Every structure is written in structure tokens, then in C-alpha cells.
Amino acid sequence: MNYYFKTGQLDFSERVAIETGICKGDSFKKIAKRIGRHPSTISHEVKLNRSIAKGNYFLNNDCRKARHCVTKGLCDESCRYVCVRCRGRDCRSMCDRYVSMECTIPQRPPYVCNNCCNKKICHKTRYFYSAKYADAAVTRRRSESRQGIRLTAEQFEEMDKLITRCVKMGQPLTHIYAEHEQELPIGLRSLYNYIDAGEMTIKNIDLRRKTGYRRRNGKKEKKAFNQEYRQGRTYVDFENGYQMGFFCDEEVVEMDTVKGCRESGKRLLTMIMRRNSIMLMFLMPDGTAASVKAVFDYLEAGLGYECFNRLFPVFLTDNGSEFKKIDWLELNEELLPRTQIYYCDPMASWQKPHVEKNHEFIRYVIPRGKSLNPYTDEDITLLMNHVNSIKRKSLDNLAPYELVADNDEDMHKLMKLLKMDLIPADEVQLTANLFKQK
């Protein structure tokens, strides 16, 4: 009997079945029978889309002898520098005494550590298969593969000459495509996209229907609230995770944005850490998801992956469009999970009261309705330092900066990165006079 009857790409439900089977210790053959796929498909899926957690090795060198090695001169006999500490060359590729500490279990099925009993205490490089992150990785690769021009230079040049000549003669694209469909290497929709992106000689202004009709300003129908991005991330899920002990209150970071006026332009991304009530402020060029992602990437690059994960394990935010790109925020460029995002209920700002309350300090200096475009990063850093230097009764008459312990290396690293310094109590100012005329 042939159990392997399905073809085509795996979907999310099948990836969930694969993850469940791996965690139960099932073989690839058993998982394949369950979902109707070939075992080689399961094997390829796991190896291609597994996530990696880098090991904690001495100087990032997985050699068993690295900690006590004093070998010198592997690349040059005149070099007196200890090879294991050299950043210019990798001694592992030159040393005949190199013995790897890497675990060999991920080299054979199931190729991941999901079902390993030592995964929580193991300090070696580990691999994990998660249906959510695997599906996100596949979606991202598929999207990137479909971007840009996927034609040879000769094909694109011939197509461009043909379309340009016909359009200059007044022919509509539909007519051109109907006549030359066999000669064109792309579809009509792709042709419109190339013209819209400015890749071809002709532009949108050369297309009559693009410039001959004005966009109508009629009443827009109210669309139903899109709940897809909130699945598993609602405020109810947040409370359940808190009650089940998946995270504590001190690990939560509330996040929001502040805009100056209705005009498009700069926005403030604000975060407040419940562990010490420190508010972080970032000046963004606009209020898009790409700008929020850039802030996350900047923090991770400056702090390191592990430090970022310890400082920002859980975010609680609202339903703004700038926070709806889940994969951009929860995953880094290497598709490693760096944080978790939860969303408040619509029109329920009281569910993240700390960041909403602290916005009043910003309004003391930058009144509502005033544009943020004149301000610079240095201005916002100055405002952030003054806000975090305010002593508060709720903090036992201490300022948020004063709650940072001397041995809290992660917070000190963050403060150094963002140039956060305590302002003397008598010099704290939260009026419009804090800045020069803007």
C-alpha cells in the first residue's frame, strides 16, 4: 500500500504534525505515513528549516583544548600571539590537535534536539524544529525569490523594446499582451509591476488608464477587524502565559508609538520595562513596520542575541499597523526567535498602563499636535534621560535609573549603547525649554 500520496509544498498543519511527531520521538517514516508524505520530504524539511541555537564555547571555539591551549605560530612562526585568541585566522583549520566538542546527535535523524532530555542544560550548539518558525522561513524565502527581475539581460531588453514600441503607438497593454503572449516571458500582471517599479523605458505616465482616471474619494466601507496576526497573541493568551509561569511581570516590556501631528514624518517608538520602569525612546523616520524592525535589529546588533533576549523576552503592544509584521519582530535575520509579541484588546489602552502613563512626560516637553520632524536623535536621548531621572513615589522615591543594580550587566550594556545617563535631580527639566528653539 502506498502511504505517500501527497505532493506539492507542505502547509502549516503538516509542519505542526512534523513538530509533534519529533517531540514524541516518532521516526520520519511514521510521521510521513501520518501526513501522507514521503520520509525524504520530512527529512529535507527538518534539515532545511530547523533553527539553530549557537553553543556557548570558550572564545567561540568548540575545540576541547581551547581553554588551556597556548599554541603559537600556526600561520606564521614569527607570530608570538596565542592562536586561539587570534581574530584574524581560525586556528581550527590549521591545527592538527583540534578536537571538536560539537554534539553528533543532530547529524543523524531526527537532526534536531526537540526530544533530547538534556536540551535545557546543554551548552553545545543545538538545533530545534518549530512549525511556526519553519513556516515563516519558507514564506520569507518564497517572497524573496519572487522579488526583482527574473529574466536574463537579453530577454528583458527584447521585451522592453517590444513593449515600448507598441505603447508609443498608442496600444494598451492588454492588446499588446494578447497579440504577443507567446513572445513575452512574463505575465500581464508582472508586466504592470515592472512598469510601476520604473524598471522599463515606458513609465506609468505613458499608460492612458494610469493617468486618465482620478482615484475616487468615495466613502470607504469599513472592513472587519483582521484577527489573523493576533492568533495565539491576544491579551487573554498573555494573561494565560503569565498565570502558567511562562514569563513573569518583570520580563514584560510595554511598547507604543507617539506621533506629533497628522502630517507624515517622524514618530517616536516608546518602550517601558516593567522590571525598573525605564522608558526607552527611539526616533523613527516614519510609522511603518520597517522602521520598528530597524529598531529591533539595532538593539540586537548592539546588545547581542542573548542579551537582547534576556532584556526583551516579551512585548505587550497595541494593534497598530506598525506592529503587525510578526515575523519581522519575533525573528531576527537568521530566523532565530528573539522575543514574543502580544497584543492588547482594541480600544483597551489600559491593558498597558505604564507606557501610556509615561507618555505624559513626553507631552510636557513636546505638546500634542507639534511635529517631531525638527527633532534629532540627540534631542530624544536628552528627553529620555530627563524622563528616567524623575523620582517617583511608586518607586520608593527613586528614579528609574537608580533602580539599576551595579551587577546588572545587561542593563548597563543597554544604557551604554543608548547613551543613557542619570541627570542630577536639581537639573531635571520637563518643559518646552529643555530644547533649543525647534
Side-chain angles (χ1 to χ4, degrees), residues 341-361:
I341 306 293
Y342 290 95
Y343 297 93
C344 297
D345 296 331
M347 307 301 293
S349 58
W350 53 268
Q351 293 175 348
K352 49 180 178 63
H354 303 84
V355 69
E356 294 288 347
K357 176 65 176 177
N358 273 261
H359 283 172
E360 71 177 272
F361 296 127

mmCIF file with all atom_site columns, all heavy atoms in Angstrom, residues 341-361:
data_model
loop_
_atom_site.group_PDB
_atom_site.id
_atom_site.type_symbol
_atom_site.label_atom_id
_atom_site.label_alt_id
_atom_site.label_comp_id
_atom_site.label_asym_id
_atom_site.label_entity_id
_atom_site.label_seq_id
_atom_site.pdbx_PDB_ins_code
_atom_site.Cartn_x
_atom_site.Cartn_y
_atom_site.Cartn_z
_atom_site.occupancy
_atom_site.B_iso_or_equiv
_atom_site.pdbx_formal_charge
_atom_site.auth_seq_id
_atom_site.auth_comp_id
_atom_site.auth_asym_id
_atom_site.auth_atom_id
_atom_site.pdbx_PDB_model_num
ATOM 1   N N   . ILE A 1 341 ? 5.610   38.581 20.948 1.00 0.00 ? 341 ILE A N   1
ATOM 2   C CA  . ILE A 1 341 ? 4.752   39.755 20.847 1.00 0.00 ? 341 ILE A CA  1
ATOM 3   C C   . ILE A 1 341 ? 3.329   39.369 21.235 1.00 0.00 ? 341 ILE A C   1
ATOM 4   O O   . ILE A 1 341 ? 2.805   38.358 20.777 1.00 0.00 ? 341 ILE A O   1
ATOM 5   C CB  . ILE A 1 341 ? 4.745   40.328 19.417 1.00 0.00 ? 341 ILE A CB  1
ATOM 6   C CG1 . ILE A 1 341 ? 6.173   40.604 18.934 1.00 0.00 ? 341 ILE A CG1 1
ATOM 7   C CG2 . ILE A 1 341 ? 3.907   41.599 19.348 1.00 0.00 ? 341 ILE A CG2 1
ATOM 8   C CD1 . ILE A 1 341 ? 6.880   41.699 19.655 1.00 0.00 ? 341 ILE A CD1 1
ATOM 9   N N   . TYR A 1 342 ? 2.720   40.175 22.128 1.00 0.00 ? 342 TYR A N   1
ATOM 10  C CA  . TYR A 1 342 ? 1.316   40.017 22.490 1.00 0.00 ? 342 TYR A CA  1
ATOM 11  C C   . TYR A 1 342 ? 0.613   41.349 22.253 1.00 0.00 ? 342 TYR A C   1
ATOM 12  O O   . TYR A 1 342 ? 1.227   42.422 22.332 1.00 0.00 ? 342 TYR A O   1
ATOM 13  C CB  . TYR A 1 342 ? 1.163   39.600 23.951 1.00 0.00 ? 342 TYR A CB  1
ATOM 14  C CG  . TYR A 1 342 ? 1.616   38.182 24.239 1.00 0.00 ? 342 TYR A CG  1
ATOM 15  C CD1 . TYR A 1 342 ? 2.894   37.925 24.694 1.00 0.00 ? 342 TYR A CD1 1
ATOM 16  C CD2 . TYR A 1 342 ? 0.762   37.103 24.046 1.00 0.00 ? 342 TYR A CD2 1
ATOM 17  C CE1 . TYR A 1 342 ? 3.321   36.629 24.959 1.00 0.00 ? 342 TYR A CE1 1
ATOM 18  C CE2 . TYR A 1 342 ? 1.172   35.807 24.306 1.00 0.00 ? 342 TYR A CE2 1
ATOM 19  C CZ  . TYR A 1 342 ? 2.456   35.576 24.760 1.00 0.00 ? 342 TYR A CZ  1
ATOM 20  O OH  . TYR A 1 342 ? 2.867   34.296 25.009 1.00 0.00 ? 342 TYR A OH  1
ATOM 21  N N   . TYR A 1 343 ? -0.697  41.272 21.971 1.00 0.00 ? 343 TYR A N   1
ATOM 22  C CA  . TYR A 1 343 ? -1.467  42.460 21.621 1.00 0.00 ? 343 TYR A CA  1
ATOM 23  C C   . TYR A 1 343 ? -2.592  42.695 22.615 1.00 0.00 ? 343 TYR A C   1
ATOM 24  O O   . TYR A 1 343 ? -3.300  41.758 23.009 1.00 0.00 ? 343 TYR A O   1
ATOM 25  C CB  . TYR A 1 343 ? -2.058  42.314 20.211 1.00 0.00 ? 343 TYR A CB  1
ATOM 26  C CG  . TYR A 1 343 ? -1.016  42.214 19.129 1.00 0.00 ? 343 TYR A CG  1
ATOM 27  C CD1 . TYR A 1 343 ? -0.562  40.964 18.703 1.00 0.00 ? 343 TYR A CD1 1
ATOM 28  C CD2 . TYR A 1 343 ? -0.468  43.345 18.557 1.00 0.00 ? 343 TYR A CD2 1
ATOM 29  C CE1 . TYR A 1 343 ? 0.412   40.861 17.721 1.00 0.00 ? 343 TYR A CE1 1
ATOM 30  C CE2 . TYR A 1 343 ? 0.500   43.256 17.570 1.00 0.00 ? 343 TYR A CE2 1
ATOM 31  C CZ  . TYR A 1 343 ? 0.934   42.014 17.157 1.00 0.00 ? 343 TYR A CZ  1
ATOM 32  O OH  . TYR A 1 343 ? 1.899   41.910 16.194 1.00 0.00 ? 343 TYR A OH  1
ATOM 33  N N   . CYS A 1 344 ? -2.758  43.971 22.987 1.00 0.00 ? 344 CYS A N   1
ATOM 34  C CA  . CYS A 1 344 ? -3.893  44.348 23.822 1.00 0.00 ? 344 CYS A CA  1
ATOM 35  C C   . CYS A 1 344 ? -5.179  44.255 23.000 1.00 0.00 ? 344 CYS A C   1
ATOM 36  O O   . CYS A 1 344 ? -5.156  44.206 21.769 1.00 0.00 ? 344 CYS A O   1
ATOM 37  C CB  . CYS A 1 344 ? -3.705  45.777 24.332 1.00 0.00 ? 344 CYS A CB  1
ATOM 38  S SG  . CYS A 1 344 ? -2.267  46.014 25.393 1.00 0.00 ? 344 CYS A SG  1
ATOM 39  N N   . ASP A 1 345 ? -6.296  44.256 23.691 1.00 0.00 ? 345 ASP A N   1
ATOM 40  C CA  . ASP A 1 345 ? -7.583  44.287 23.002 1.00 0.00 ? 345 ASP A CA  1
ATOM 41  C C   . ASP A 1 345 ? -7.766  45.640 22.335 1.00 0.00 ? 345 ASP A C   1
ATOM 42  O O   . ASP A 1 345 ? -7.240  46.660 22.810 1.00 0.00 ? 345 ASP A O   1
ATOM 43  C CB  . ASP A 1 345 ? -8.716  44.022 23.991 1.00 0.00 ? 345 ASP A CB  1
ATOM 44  C CG  . ASP A 1 345 ? -8.640  42.626 24.583 1.00 0.00 ? 345 ASP A CG  1
ATOM 45  O OD1 . ASP A 1 345 ? -8.135  41.708 23.907 1.00 0.00 ? 345 ASP A OD1 1
ATOM 46  O OD2 . ASP A 1 345 ? -9.070  42.458 25.737 1.00 0.00 ? 345 ASP A OD2 1
ATOM 47  N N   . PRO A 1 346 ? -8.524  45.718 21.227 1.00 0.00 ? 346 PRO A N   1
ATOM 48  C CA  . PRO A 1 346 ? -8.779  47.006 20.574 1.00 0.00 ? 346 PRO A CA  1
ATOM 49  C C   . PRO A 1 346 ? -9.447  47.991 21.538 1.00 0.00 ? 346 PRO A C   1
ATOM 50  O O   . PRO A 1 346 ? -10.330 47.629 22.312 1.00 0.00 ? 346 PRO A O   1
ATOM 51  C CB  . PRO A 1 346 ? -9.712  46.630 19.413 1.00 0.00 ? 346 PRO A CB  1
ATOM 52  C CG  . PRO A 1 346 ? -9.429  45.182 19.143 1.00 0.00 ? 346 PRO A CG  1
ATOM 53  C CD  . PRO A 1 346 ? -9.104  44.583 20.476 1.00 0.00 ? 346 PRO A CD  1
ATOM 54  N N   . MET A 1 347 ? -8.970  49.214 21.502 1.00 0.00 ? 347 MET A N   1
ATOM 55  C CA  . MET A 1 347 ? -9.522  50.297 22.333 1.00 0.00 ? 347 MET A CA  1
ATOM 56  C C   . MET A 1 347 ? -9.388  49.981 23.820 1.00 0.00 ? 347 MET A C   1
ATOM 57  O O   . MET A 1 347 ? -10.255 50.325 24.618 1.00 0.00 ? 347 MET A O   1
ATOM 58  C CB  . MET A 1 347 ? -10.989 50.556 21.962 1.00 0.00 ? 347 MET A CB  1
ATOM 59  C CG  . MET A 1 347 ? -11.233 50.815 20.490 1.00 0.00 ? 347 MET A CG  1
ATOM 60  S SD  . MET A 1 347 ? -10.323 52.232 19.853 1.00 0.00 ? 347 MET A SD  1
ATOM 61  C CE  . MET A 1 347 ? -11.147 53.546 20.744 1.00 0.00 ? 347 MET A CE  1
ATOM 62  N N   . ALA A 1 348 ? -8.315  49.329 24.196 1.00 0.00 ? 348 ALA A N   1
ATOM 63  C CA  . ALA A 1 348 ? -8.101  48.970 25.608 1.00 0.00 ? 348 ALA A CA  1
ATOM 64  C C   . ALA A 1 348 ? -6.681  49.351 26.007 1.00 0.00 ? 348 ALA A C   1
ATOM 65  O O   . ALA A 1 348 ? -5.868  48.492 26.370 1.00 0.00 ? 348 ALA A O   1
ATOM 66  C CB  . ALA A 1 348 ? -8.370  47.488 25.840 1.00 0.00 ? 348 ALA A CB  1
ATOM 67  N N   . SER A 1 349 ? -6.378  50.637 25.930 1.00 0.00 ? 349 SER A N   1
ATOM 68  C CA  . SER A 1 349 ? -5.029  51.096 26.260 1.00 0.00 ? 349 SER A CA  1
ATOM 69  C C   . SER A 1 349 ? -4.694  50.880 27.733 1.00 0.00 ? 349 SER A C   1
ATOM 70  O O   . SER A 1 349 ? -3.516  50.863 28.100 1.00 0.00 ? 349 SER A O   1
ATOM 71  C CB  . SER A 1 349 ? -4.884  52.582 25.914 1.00 0.00 ? 349 SER A CB  1
ATOM 72  O OG  . SER A 1 349 ? -5.843  53.356 26.613 1.00 0.00 ? 349 SER A OG  1
ATOM 73  N N   . TRP A 1 350 ? -5.716  50.688 28.571 1.00 0.00 ? 350 TRP A N   1
ATOM 74  C CA  . TRP A 1 350 ? -5.467  50.474 29.991 1.00 0.00 ? 350 TRP A CA  1
ATOM 75  C C   . TRP A 1 350 ? -4.759  49.151 30.254 1.00 0.00 ? 350 TRP A C   1
ATOM 76  O O   . TRP A 1 350 ? -4.238  48.919 31.358 1.00 0.00 ? 350 TRP A O   1
ATOM 77  C CB  . TRP A 1 350 ? -6.802  50.492 30.749 1.00 0.00 ? 350 TRP A CB  1
ATOM 78  C CG  . TRP A 1 350 ? -7.833  49.553 30.198 1.00 0.00 ? 350 TRP A CG  1
ATOM 79  C CD1 . TRP A 1 350 ? -8.780  49.837 29.273 1.00 0.00 ? 350 TRP A CD1 1
ATOM 80  C CD2 . TRP A 1 350 ? -8.005  48.168 30.526 1.00 0.00 ? 350 TRP A CD2 1
ATOM 81  N NE1 . TRP A 1 350 ? -9.542  48.737 28.988 1.00 0.00 ? 350 TRP A NE1 1
ATOM 82  C CE2 . TRP A 1 350 ? -9.096  47.678 29.748 1.00 0.00 ? 350 TRP A CE2 1
ATOM 83  C CE3 . TRP A 1 350 ? -7.369  47.294 31.390 1.00 0.00 ? 350 TRP A CE3 1
ATOM 84  C CZ2 . TRP A 1 350 ? -9.535  46.365 29.824 1.00 0.00 ? 350 TRP A CZ2 1
ATOM 85  C CZ3 . TRP A 1 350 ? -7.810  45.983 31.460 1.00 0.00 ? 350 TRP A CZ3 1
ATOM 86  C CH2 . TRP A 1 350 ? -8.865  45.525 30.700 1.00 0.00 ? 350 TRP A CH2 1
ATOM 87  N N   . GLN A 1 351 ? -4.702  48.273 29.252 1.00 0.00 ? 351 GLN A N   1
ATOM 88  C CA  . GLN A 1 351 ? -4.025  46.994 29.449 1.00 0.00 ? 351 GLN A CA  1
ATOM 89  C C   . GLN A 1 351 ? -2.500  47.137 29.419 1.00 0.00 ? 351 GLN A C   1
ATOM 90  O O   . GLN A 1 351 ? -1.788  46.223 29.813 1.00 0.00 ? 351 GLN A O   1
ATOM 91  C CB  . GLN A 1 351 ? -4.488  45.993 28.383 1.00 0.00 ? 351 GLN A CB  1
ATOM 92  C CG  . GLN A 1 351 ? -5.948  45.597 28.542 1.00 0.00 ? 351 GLN A CG  1
ATOM 93  C CD  . GLN A 1 351 ? -6.445  44.697 27.424 1.00 0.00 ? 351 GLN A CD  1
ATOM 94  O OE1 . GLN A 1 351 ? -5.782  44.524 26.407 1.00 0.00 ? 351 GLN A OE1 1
ATOM 95  N NE2 . GLN A 1 351 ? -7.629  44.111 27.606 1.00 0.00 ? 351 GLN A NE2 1
ATOM 96  N N   . LYS A 1 352 ? -1.999  48.261 28.935 1.00 0.00 ? 352 LYS A N   1
ATOM 97  C CA  . LYS A 1 352 ? -0.571  48.580 29.030 1.00 0.00 ? 352 LYS A CA  1
ATOM 98  C C   . LYS A 1 352 ? -0.434  49.972 29.663 1.00 0.00 ? 352 LYS A C   1
ATOM 99  O O   . LYS A 1 352 ? -0.039  50.947 29.020 1.00 0.00 ? 352 LYS A O   1
ATOM 100 C CB  . LYS A 1 352 ? 0.112   48.528 27.660 1.00 0.00 ? 352 LYS A CB  1
ATOM 101 C CG  . LYS A 1 352 ? -0.581  49.273 26.530 1.00 0.00 ? 352 LYS A CG  1
ATOM 102 C CD  . LYS A 1 352 ? 0.215   49.119 25.244 1.00 0.00 ? 352 LYS A CD  1
ATOM 103 C CE  . LYS A 1 352 ? -0.467  49.813 24.087 1.00 0.00 ? 352 LYS A CE  1
ATOM 104 N NZ  . LYS A 1 352 ? -0.599  51.250 24.220 1.00 0.00 ? 352 LYS A NZ  1
ATOM 105 N N   . PRO A 1 353 ? -0.766  50.082 30.942 1.00 0.00 ? 353 PRO A N   1
ATOM 106 C CA  . PRO A 1 353 ? -0.898  51.394 31.584 1.00 0.00 ? 353 PRO A CA  1
ATOM 107 C C   . PRO A 1 353 ? 0.427   52.122 31.782 1.00 0.00 ? 353 PRO A C   1
ATOM 108 O O   . PRO A 1 353 ? 0.459   53.352 31.792 1.00 0.00 ? 353 PRO A O   1
ATOM 109 C CB  . PRO A 1 353 ? -1.538  51.053 32.931 1.00 0.00 ? 353 PRO A CB  1
ATOM 110 C CG  . PRO A 1 353 ? -1.087  49.650 33.220 1.00 0.00 ? 353 PRO A CG  1
ATOM 111 C CD  . PRO A 1 353 ? -1.013  48.973 31.883 1.00 0.00 ? 353 PRO A CD  1
ATOM 112 N N   . HIS A 1 354 ? 1.518   51.380 31.968 1.00 0.00 ? 354 HIS A N   1
ATOM 113 C CA  . HIS A 1 354 ? 2.780   52.027 32.299 1.00 0.00 ? 354 HIS A CA  1
ATOM 114 C C   . HIS A 1 354 ? 3.285   52.915 31.164 1.00 0.00 ? 354 HIS A C   1
ATOM 115 O O   . HIS A 1 354 ? 3.655   54.076 31.387 1.00 0.00 ? 354 HIS A O   1
ATOM 116 C CB  . HIS A 1 354 ? 3.833   50.971 32.656 1.00 0.00 ? 354 HIS A CB  1
ATOM 117 C CG  . HIS A 1 354 ? 3.433   50.068 33.777 1.00 0.00 ? 354 HIS A CG  1
ATOM 118 N ND1 . HIS A 1 354 ? 2.648   48.948 33.580 1.00 0.00 ? 354 HIS A ND1 1
ATOM 119 C CD2 . HIS A 1 354 ? 3.694   50.116 35.106 1.00 0.00 ? 354 HIS A CD2 1
ATOM 120 C CE1 . HIS A 1 354 ? 2.439   48.352 34.737 1.00 0.00 ? 354 HIS A CE1 1
ATOM 121 N NE2 . HIS A 1 354 ? 3.058   49.027 35.688 1.00 0.00 ? 354 HIS A NE2 1
ATOM 122 N N   . VAL A 1 355 ? 3.278   52.390 29.942 1.00 0.00 ? 355 VAL A N   1
ATOM 123 C CA  . VAL A 1 355 ? 3.779   53.183 28.833 1.00 0.00 ? 355 VAL A CA  1
ATOM 124 C C   . VAL A 1 355 ? 2.826   54.324 28.502 1.00 0.00 ? 355 VAL A C   1
ATOM 125 O O   . VAL A 1 355 ? 3.254   55.429 28.140 1.00 0.00 ? 355 VAL A O   1
ATOM 126 C CB  . VAL A 1 355 ? 4.025   52.278 27.601 1.00 0.00 ? 355 VAL A CB  1
ATOM 127 C CG1 . VAL A 1 355 ? 2.724   51.755 27.013 1.00 0.00 ? 355 VAL A CG1 1
ATOM 128 C CG2 . VAL A 1 355 ? 4.846   53.008 26.552 1.00 0.00 ? 355 VAL A CG2 1
ATOM 129 N N   . GLU A 1 356 ? 1.511   54.096 28.643 1.00 0.00 ? 356 GLU A N   1
ATOM 130 C CA  . GLU A 1 356 ? 0.547   55.170 28.379 1.00 0.00 ? 356 GLU A CA  1
ATOM 131 C C   . GLU A 1 356 ? 0.694   56.302 29.396 1.00 0.00 ? 356 GLU A C   1
ATOM 132 O O   . GLU A 1 356 ? 0.633   57.478 29.043 1.00 0.00 ? 356 GLU A O   1
ATOM 133 C CB  . GLU A 1 356 ? -0.873  54.599 28.438 1.00 0.00 ? 356 GLU A CB  1
ATOM 134 C CG  . GLU A 1 356 ? -1.199  53.585 27.345 1.00 0.00 ? 356 GLU A CG  1
ATOM 135 C CD  . GLU A 1 356 ? -1.362  54.207 25.980 1.00 0.00 ? 356 GLU A CD  1
ATOM 136 O OE1 . GLU A 1 356 ? -1.469  55.446 25.912 1.00 0.00 ? 356 GLU A OE1 1
ATOM 137 O OE2 . GLU A 1 356 ? -1.360  53.471 24.993 1.00 0.00 ? 356 GLU A OE2 1
ATOM 138 N N   . LYS A 1 357 ? 0.913   55.932 30.655 1.00 0.00 ? 357 LYS A N   1
ATOM 139 C CA  . LYS A 1 357 ? 1.090   56.938 31.696 1.00 0.00 ? 357 LYS A CA  1
ATOM 140 C C   . LYS A 1 357 ? 2.352   57.758 31.463 1.00 0.00 ? 357 LYS A C   1
ATOM 141 O O   . LYS A 1 357 ? 2.367   58.985 31.662 1.00 0.00 ? 357 LYS A O   1
ATOM 142 C CB  . LYS A 1 357 ? 1.144   56.243 33.063 1.00 0.00 ? 357 LYS A CB  1
ATOM 143 C CG  . LYS A 1 357 ? 1.421   57.176 34.236 1.00 0.00 ? 357 LYS A CG  1
ATOM 144 C CD  . LYS A 1 357 ? 0.309   58.175 34.451 1.00 0.00 ? 357 LYS A CD  1
ATOM 145 C CE  . LYS A 1 357 ? 0.569   59.024 35.680 1.00 0.00 ? 357 LYS A CE  1
ATOM 146 N NZ  . LYS A 1 357 ? -0.479  60.066 35.879 1.00 0.00 ? 357 LYS A NZ  1
ATOM 147 N N   . ASN A 1 358 ? 3.421   57.108 31.058 1.00 0.00 ? 358 ASN A N   1
ATOM 148 C CA  . ASN A 1 358 ? 4.689   57.812 30.872 1.00 0.00 ? 358 ASN A CA  1
ATOM 149 C C   . ASN A 1 358 ? 4.693   58.726 29.658 1.00 0.00 ? 358 ASN A C   1
ATOM 150 O O   . ASN A 1 358 ? 5.586   59.564 29.534 1.00 0.00 ? 358 ASN A O   1
ATOM 151 C CB  . ASN A 1 358 ? 5.829   56.799 30.765 1.00 0.00 ? 358 ASN A CB  1
ATOM 152 C CG  . ASN A 1 358 ? 6.388   56.410 32.124 1.00 0.00 ? 358 ASN A CG  1
ATOM 153 O OD1 . ASN A 1 358 ? 7.411   56.905 32.569 1.00 0.00 ? 358 ASN A OD1 1
ATOM 154 N ND2 . ASN A 1 358 ? 5.684   55.525 32.799 1.00 0.00 ? 358 ASN A ND2 1
ATOM 155 N N   . HIS A 1 359 ? 3.717   58.569 28.769 1.00 0.00 ? 359 HIS A N   1
ATOM 156 C CA  . HIS A 1 359 ? 3.648   59.465 27.623 1.00 0.00 ? 359 HIS A CA  1
ATOM 157 C C   . HIS A 1 359 ? 3.369   60.903 28.046 1.00 0.00 ? 359 HIS A C   1
ATOM 158 O O   . HIS A 1 359 ? 3.687   61.838 27.303 1.00 0.00 ? 359 HIS A O   1
ATOM 159 C CB  . HIS A 1 359 ? 2.571   58.992 26.643 1.00 0.00 ? 359 HIS A CB  1
ATOM 160 C CG  . HIS A 1 359 ? 3.005   57.829 25.811 1.00 0.00 ? 359 HIS A CG  1
ATOM 161 N ND1 . HIS A 1 359 ? 2.152   57.136 24.980 1.00 0.00 ? 359 HIS A ND1 1
ATOM 162 C CD2 . HIS A 1 359 ? 4.214   57.218 25.685 1.00 0.00 ? 359 HIS A CD2 1
ATOM 163 C CE1 . HIS A 1 359 ? 2.809   56.162 24.382 1.00 0.00 ? 359 HIS A CE1 1
ATOM 164 N NE2 . HIS A 1 359 ? 4.054   56.187 24.790 1.00 0.00 ? 359 HIS A NE2 1
ATOM 165 N N   . GLU A 1 360 ? 2.770   61.076 29.209 1.00 0.00 ? 360 GLU A N   1
ATOM 166 C CA  . GLU A 1 360 ? 2.502   62.446 29.657 1.00 0.00 ? 360 GLU A CA  1
ATOM 167 C C   . GLU A 1 360 ? 3.790   63.214 29.877 1.00 0.00 ? 360 GLU A C   1
ATOM 168 O O   . GLU A 1 360 ? 3.831   64.435 29.688 1.00 0.00 ? 360 GLU A O   1
ATOM 169 C CB  . GLU A 1 360 ? 1.673   62.427 30.946 1.00 0.00 ? 360 GLU A CB  1
ATOM 170 C CG  . GLU A 1 360 ? 2.428   61.958 32.179 1.00 0.00 ? 360 GLU A CG  1
ATOM 171 C CD  . GLU A 1 360 ? 1.582   62.020 33.425 1.00 0.00 ? 360 GLU A CD  1
ATOM 172 O OE1 . GLU A 1 360 ? 1.555   63.067 34.073 1.00 0.00 ? 360 GLU A OE1 1
ATOM 173 O OE2 . GLU A 1 360 ? 0.963   61.009 33.738 1.00 0.00 ? 360 GLU A OE2 1
ATOM 174 N N   . PHE A 1 361 ? 4.884   62.539 30.240 1.00 0.00 ? 361 PHE A N   1
ATOM 175 C CA  . PHE A 1 361 ? 6.159   63.226 30.407 1.00 0.00 ? 361 PHE A CA  1
ATOM 176 C C   . PHE A 1 361 ? 6.657   63.763 29.070 1.00 0.00 ? 361 PHE A C   1
ATOM 177 O O   . PHE A 1 361 ? 7.273   64.839 28.996 1.00 0.00 ? 361 PHE A O   1
ATOM 178 C CB  . PHE A 1 361 ? 7.193   62.283 31.007 1.00 0.00 ? 361 PHE A CB  1
ATOM 179 C CG  . PHE A 1 361 ? 6.864   61.803 32.396 1.00 0.00 ? 361 PHE A CG  1
ATOM 180 C CD1 . PHE A 1 361 ? 6.841   60.459 32.697 1.00 0.00 ? 361 PHE A CD1 1
ATOM 181 C CD2 . PHE A 1 361 ? 6.572   62.716 33.400 1.00 0.00 ? 361 PHE A CD2 1
ATOM 182 C CE1 . PHE A 1 361 ? 6.536   60.017 33.968 1.00 0.00 ? 361 PHE A CE1 1
ATOM 183 C CE2 . PHE A 1 361 ? 6.266   62.288 34.677 1.00 0.00 ? 361 PHE A CE2 1
ATOM 184 C CZ  . PHE A 1 361 ? 6.245   60.931 34.967 1.00 0.00 ? 361 PHE A CZ  1
#
